[in-house]
């Protein structure tokens, strides 16, 4: 299972939502959502944004991307 799939399940569970509820909020079939959580399929960017907004988290957090100050190029 990839990091996105793990994070998706983790944050869904924190919000107390079921897979079915998430699918309804995203306007997709429940089995399509389940494929995201199982790491079988990854959503397109517009769906990623909607998922992050629905879970009230950043895209970076959703996909498991960590930022460190030394990584930011301020030039």
């Amino acid at each position: 299972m990839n990091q996105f799939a793990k994070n998706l399940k983790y944050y869904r569970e924190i919000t107390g939502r079921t897979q079915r509820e998430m699918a309804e909020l995203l306007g997709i079939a429940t089995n399509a959502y389940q494929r995201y959580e199982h790491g079988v399929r990854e959503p397109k960017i517009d769906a990623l944004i909607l998922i992050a907004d629905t879970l009230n988290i950043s895209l970076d957090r959703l996909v498991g991307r960590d930022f460190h100050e030394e990584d930011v190029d301020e030039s």
Side-chain angles (χ1 to χ4, degrees), residues 7-68:
N7 288 350
L8 180 59
K9 181 177 181 180
Y10 173 78
Y11 289 109
R12 174 186 58 81
E13 289 176 343
I14 283 180
T15 64
R17 293 187 173 110
T18 65
Q19 290 179 337
R20 180 183 219 167
E21 290 170 331
M22 282 297 294
E24 289 174 4
L25 289 168
L26 300 173
I28 61 174
T30 302
N31 63 352
Y33 178 82
Q34 290 169 335
R35 288 185 190 114
Y36 295 160
E37 277 198 14
H38 289 113
V40 175
R41 187 171 179 205
E42 293 182 354
K44 293 184 180 184
I45 190 66
D46 56 335
L48 276 173
I49 293 168
L50 183 56
I51 292 167
D53 288 348
T54 300
L55 296 172
N56 199 29
I57 59 173
S58 70
L59 282 173
D60 289 321
R61 183 164 286 184
L62 180 60
V63 299
R65 184 171 183 214
D66 293 328
F67 271 112
H68 303 283

